[in-house]
Amino acid sequence: QAYDDELYSTPTIATLSFSDQIDTSNQVESYSVGFSDNHSAQFNRISAGTNLSETYTLSRDFYIGTTELTRETYYFLTERNIAYNKACSDCPASRLDWHLAAQAANSMSEFEGRETCYDCSQPDENDLYSTTCSEKDAYAGTDFYSCPGYRLPTEAEWEYAAYANESTTYAGSNNYWEIATYTEATHSVMDFAPNAWGLYGMTGNALEWCQDLEPATFPTSDLDPIGVLEGDGQRAYRGGRYNQTNVYP
């Protein structure tokens, strides 16, 4: 399915095993991937733990992008700029369906020389939205958590990182105007304050794709949950968007 509006974007994350390879002597709290002299993407470490409502536990630390994937980063990885407002390089890489978001995660893995988490193909070379991706067989179901490359966050990982162990209404604040706004278009990814774990735009700007298949009861289990319904289930997305009057965490 092609998305012809500005709504969808995604952060990409790296698992703890990937970050072990960055620094085997000391687990870093954050790291940057440099694409040029003046452009890089930063990832923050999120420690394993139980969510505030105690409905699920994540057993692995992970790293997540501090901002939504930007158009500049997406162009570097794919040589594509499919957003309407092409001039805003630090706005979210919007108009990505789930498959293009997964493909972008693969591109990040390939750039870093890591194993990819998805099998992707584009049957029609003239139609970008003919791209289809699925998780590799080795990382099906809950094994997805162990993929050493970049991937989309599970819904549990996204929610856990967004709330940052704080009982706020939104990701980083009880007041939506402190972390998001209603505008005519997406805006720079760091225009508003981050949450307690240094993550920007988890509530507003662009919706963010997750790994889980929907409709699935969330959480699906109390340990490392992931929606894995068979068939033509839709992929989950979380957060809020720039033209949304009612904002969701």
Side-chain angles (χ1 to χ4, degrees), residues 208-229:
E208 299 171 2
W209 287 112
C210 296
Q211 174 64 21
D212 300 50
L213 278 167
E214 299 286 351
T217 301
F218 178 77
T220 52
S221 66
D222 58 4
L223 180 64
D224 296 331
I226 185 170
V228 291
L229 291 182

Side-chain angles (χ1 to χ4, degrees), residues 161-177:
Y163 278 111
N165 269 349
E166 293 189 327
S167 56
T168 52
T169 305
Y170 308 106
S173 177
N174 287 317
N175 304 313
Y176 74 85
W177 58 85

Side-chain angles (χ1 to χ4, degrees), residues 100-246:
L100 292 179
Q103 186 183 57
N106 267 6
S107 295
M108 179 75 84
S109 296
E110 290 166 353
F111 176 74
E112 287 283 283
R114 308 300 173 188
E115 183 179 354
T116 56
C117 299
Y118 303 95
D119 287 322
C120 297
S121 64
Q122 184 180 337
D124 184 348
E125 63 179 14
N126 298 314
D127 181 7
L128 184 62
Y129 291 103
S130 70
T131 300
T132 58
C133 295
S134 61
E135 54 275 5
K136 290 184 172 180
D137 290 343
Y139 303 117
T142 56
D143 288 337
F144 188 74
Y145 280 98
S146 65
C147 181
Y150 287 90
R151 56 178 176 78
L152 301 179
T154 65
E155 191 169 1
E157 287 174 323
W158 188 97
E159 182 182 270
Y160 182 73
Y163 278 111
N165 269 349
E166 293 189 327
S167 56
T168 52
T169 305
Y170 308 106
S173 177
N174 287 317
N175 304 313
Y176 74 85
W177 58 85
E178 294 180 348
I179 43 82
T181 188
Y182 180 85
T183 62
E184 296 298 320
T186 53
H187 52 80
S188 298
V189 294
M190 297 178 72
D191 271 357
F192 291 87
N195 69 6
W197 290 346
L199 307 180
Y200 293 82
M202 298 294 278
T203 293
N205 211 1
L207 295 167
E208 299 171 2
W209 287 112
C210 296
Q211 174 64 21
D212 300 50
L213 278 167
E214 299 286 351
T217 301
F218 178 77
T220 52
S221 66
D222 58 4
L223 180 64
D224 296 331
I226 185 170
V228 291
L229 291 182
E230 296 181 357
D232 297 326
Q234 299 299 306
R235 297 288 179 166
Y237 55 81
R238 296 295 297 268
R241 61 188 188 228
Y242 68 93
N243 60 355
Q244 201 170 4
T245 54
N246 44 333

Side-chain angles (χ1 to χ4, degrees), residues 42-77:
Q42 181 170 319
F43 293 81
N44 283 2
R45 182 181 181 178
I46 307 299
S47 297
T50 300
N51 68 326
L52 284 176
S53 58
E54 298 185 346
T55 54
Y56 61 84
T57 296
L58 296 174
S59 64
R60 300 171 176 87
D61 293 13
F62 61 96
Y63 288 78
I64 190 167
T66 57
T67 71
E68 293 150 319
L69 183 71
T70 66
R71 294 173 190 174
E72 185 174 16
T73 298
Y74 185 68
Y75 183 79
F76 181 91
L77 293 171

